[in-house]
Amino acid sequence: MTQPKQQFAQTILENMHSAVLVINQDLCIEYMNPSAEMMFQISRARAKMRSIEELIIDEPGFFKRIKTSLQTQHPFSAFEDDLMVRTGQSLAVDYMASPIDYVDCRQCLLLEFVGRGRHRKMAQEKHLLNQNEASRSLLRGLAHEIKNPLGGIRGAAQLLEKKFSNEQDREFTQVIIREADRLKQLVDRMLGPGDIPNKSQLNIHQILEHVRNLVQVEAEHVHFVADYDPSLPDIYGDESMIIQAILNITRNAIKEVPEDGEITFRTRPLRNYTIGDNTYPLIAKIDIIDNGPGIPEDIRENLFLPMVTGHAEGTGLGLSIAQTLINQHNGLIEFTSSPGYTIFTLLLPLHTESE
Ligand SMILES: Nc1ncnc2c1ncn2[C@@H]1O[C@H](COP(=O)(O)OP(=O)(O)OP(=O)(O)O)[C@@H](O)[C@H]1O
Ligand SMILES: [Mg+2]
C-alpha cells in the first residue's frame, strides 16, 4: 500500500515548479527535483552528494543560517534574497528551509526555492505574445484596407496604358504599376507568413548547422561556435519556418558584430516551462548569442513590432516575422542585450505527436 503512495508523492515533487533540495548534516545534496536541476543548472546525477556550497557560492549568510537550522532544528525563510550560483548568475529567490527526518531517520534540511525573477519573466513573456497578437490583428485590418484600393489603382493604370500609344506616356503608368506592386509586396511581408505550418520531426542541430552553412558564405569574418546539447530530442515543426526564424535572427547578429565577431548557437532542454497560459514538460531552448554592441535602448520595448528598426535601410520586419513563425509553433522568442553580449532565445515546446 505504501509503494503507490510514495510514487504519488514522488510524482508531485518531480513536477513542482519550486526548486526542492534535501541536504544532510554535512551540507551534501541527498535529493533535488527537476526544477532545482534547472535553477542551479546541474543534473541531479552530478549534484548528488556534492556540497551545496558548490552550487551556491559566496553566500556566508545563507550557509550560516542553514547550519544553524540543521543544528537547532528550527525552520527559517527568506524573501527577496539574491543568491549567486556556480554559473556566476545571480538568482532572485524566496526560500524556505524546513528540518525533516529523511531516509533512515537522518535529520536533514528541506530547502524550497521560488524564483521571483521567473514570475516577472512569465509576465514579460505573456506581454510579448499579446503584443504580437495585437499587432497582427491591426496589420490584417490595415492590409485589407490598403490592398483593395491598391488593386483598383493598378487595374486602372493597366487600362490607361492600353490607351496610350506613346512610349513616354506609358512610362508614367509603368511607374504607377511598379509602385503599386512594391506596396503590395511590402504589405504582404508585413502580414508575415500566412501558411499553415507543415510539421514533421526535426533535428534542431541539423537546422542550426544548415543556417550556419548558409550564412557563413555571406559573413566569412564571423566565427561561429556550436554549443549543442546532444540529448535534446527532435522538435515537431515546419522546417522552412524554423529555418527562416533562425536566419532572420542570425542575419541581424551578423550585421552587428565587429570584424572579429563571434556568434554562438547554444541548445539546452528546459523542463516544466510555461509559455503564455500553457506549461510544457519539455522545451527546446535555442540561444543565438553575439558579441556586437547590443540592441539600441530606444527600440527594445517594441523590438518585435513590425517597422521597428535601428537602421536607415532596414524594414524592421525580420524579428516580427520570426516571432510570428515561432508563435505558430506555440513557442516564443525573447532577448536580453548589453554591449558585447546579446542573446536571442527561441523557446520551442517539444511535442512527440501531431497536434
Ligand atoms: N543581435 C542584434 N544586435 C544588435 N541589434 C539588433 C540585433 N538584432 C536586431 N537588432 C536591432 O533590431 C532591429 C530590428 O531588427 P529586424 O530584423 O526586425 O529589422 P531589420 O533588421 O532592421 O530589417 P529587416 O526587415 O531587413 O530584417 C535592427 O534594425 C537592429 O537595430
Ligand atoms: Mg533583420
Side-chain angles (χ1 to χ4, degrees):
M1 271 315 273
T2 50
Q3 189 62 14
K5 242 186 189 171
Q6 266 177 7
Q7 274 175 4
F8 188 51
Q10 179 84 6
T11 310
I12 293 174
L13 257 178
E14 299 280 302
N15 287 286
M16 275 173 68
H17 285 255
S18 323
V20 177
L21 288 173
V22 176
I23 56 169
N24 61 24
Q25 294 279 341
D26 301 323
L27 305 191
C28 289
I29 294 159
E30 297 258 349
Y31 169 81
M32 75 195 299
N33 73 349
S35 295
E37 286 181 299
M38 216 167 88
M39 181 174 276
F40 296 106
Q41 306 266 305
I42 189 166
S43 70
R44 72 176 115 191
R46 284 193 62 201
K48 190 143 172 80
M49 285 326 209
R50 283 194 190 204
S51 168
I52 189 164
E53 286 168 296
E54 289 181 43
L55 261 58
I56 297 169
I57 50 175
D58 288 338
E59 301 290 350
F62 171 76
F63 293 117
K64 199 164 165 237
R65 294 188 81 182
I66 57 173
K67 279 176 194 162
T68 312
S69 179
L70 274 164
Q71 277 162 15
T72 61
Q73 293 292 296
H74 284 308
F76 73 92
S77 49
F79 298 98
E80 312 219 339
D81 205 352
D82 286 307
L83 295 178
M84 178 79 90
V85 293
R86 62 183 194 105
T87 50
Q89 244 183 326
S90 173
L91 284 185
V93 286
D94 297 335
Y95 58 87
M96 280 71 66
S98 322
I100 52 166
D101 281 342
Y102 197 52
V103 186
D104 301 332
C105 298
R106 283 175 303 126
Q107 284 175 348
C108 289
L109 199 64
L110 173 75
L111 290 163
E112 287 171 71
F113 297 86
V114 182
R116 280 186 298 117
R118 180 70 199 117
H119 289 140
R120 209 178 312 135
K121 207 152 162 273
M122 270 162 79
Q124 276 171 1
E125 288 173 0
K126 207 160 175 188
H127 171 69
L128 273 179
L129 284 174
N130 291 342
Q131 192 189 46
N132 197 49
E133 223 172 274
S135 78
R136 297 244 71 79
S137 70
L138 183 78
L139 275 179
R140 269 195 296 274
L142 195 66
H144 182 73
E145 292 305 311
I146 292 176
K147 276 164 87 174
N148 270 352
L150 209 56
I153 292 169
R154 196 186 191 282
Q158 273 176 318
L159 284 177
L160 260 181
E161 196 171 53
K162 283 189 189 140
K163 301 207 166 161
F164 292 151
S165 48
N166 176 332
E167 198 58 39
Q168 240 173 355
D169 291 338
R170 280 190 181 173
E171 256 178 47
F172 293 119
T173 50
Q174 275 302 316
V175 170
I176 299 173
I177 292 169
R178 245 195 340 265
E179 290 302 294
D181 286 345
R182 201 173 62 84
L183 202 53
K184 182 175 172 295
Q185 266 172 23
L186 177 70
V187 172
D188 284 341
R189 266 201 82 200
M190 277 170 71
L191 270 177
D195 301 339
I196 294 163
N198 179 12
K199 294 186 179 179
S200 59
Q201 298 287 347
L202 307 168
N203 180 313
I204 191 65
H205 300 134
Q206 274 171 12
I207 289 185
L208 287 167
E209 284 304 297
H210 175 69
V211 170
R212 179 156 76 140
N213 287 334
L214 279 179
V215 293
Q216 187 75 79
V217 191
E218 306 163 17
E220 283 171 4
H221 64 289
V222 179
H223 176 56
F224 280 90
V225 178
D227 175 4
Y228 299 154
D229 184 329
S231 73
L232 203 67
D234 282 356
I235 54 171
Y236 185 68
D238 181 310
E239 188 173 24
S240 60
M241 285 185 170
I242 289 173
I243 290 177
Q244 187 64 56
I246 295 174
L247 252 182
N248 288 6
I249 294 171
T250 311
R251 287 213 163 107
N252 283 346
I254 288 173
K255 245 190 270 170
E256 306 293 335
V257 290
E259 257 313 300
D260 57 345
E262 187 171 282
I263 296 178
T264 304
F265 288 161
R266 182 173 66 190
T267 59
R268 294 287 182 271
L270 287 182
R271 277 168 233 291
N272 290 335
Y273 199 90
T274 306
I275 299 177
D277 294 325
N278 298 313
T279 301
Y280 299 94
L282 196 58
I283 289 232
K285 177 172 178 280
I286 303 144
D287 292 321
I288 298 162
I289 308 166
D290 73 75
N291 64 345
I295 295 162
E297 201 73 51
D298 57 331
I299 59 169
R300 286 187 190 186
E301 180 71 16
N302 298 314
L303 196 67
F304 290 102
L305 290 183
M307 316 295 273
V308 172
T309 177
H311 297 288
E313 77 289 359
T315 51
L317 293 177
L319 287 178
S320 152
I321 290 170
Q323 186 68 281
T324 303
L325 291 169
I326 297 302
N327 289 172
Q328 282 179 339
H329 288 76
N330 302 323
L332 181 73
I333 306 176
E334 53 188 19
F335 69 93
T336 54
S337 179
S338 54
Y341 197 71
T342 296
I343 309 188
F344 276 84
T345 301
L346 278 81
L347 298 167
L348 277 172
L350 291 160
H351 298 281
T352 44
E353 70 223 37
S354 37
E355 293 135 83

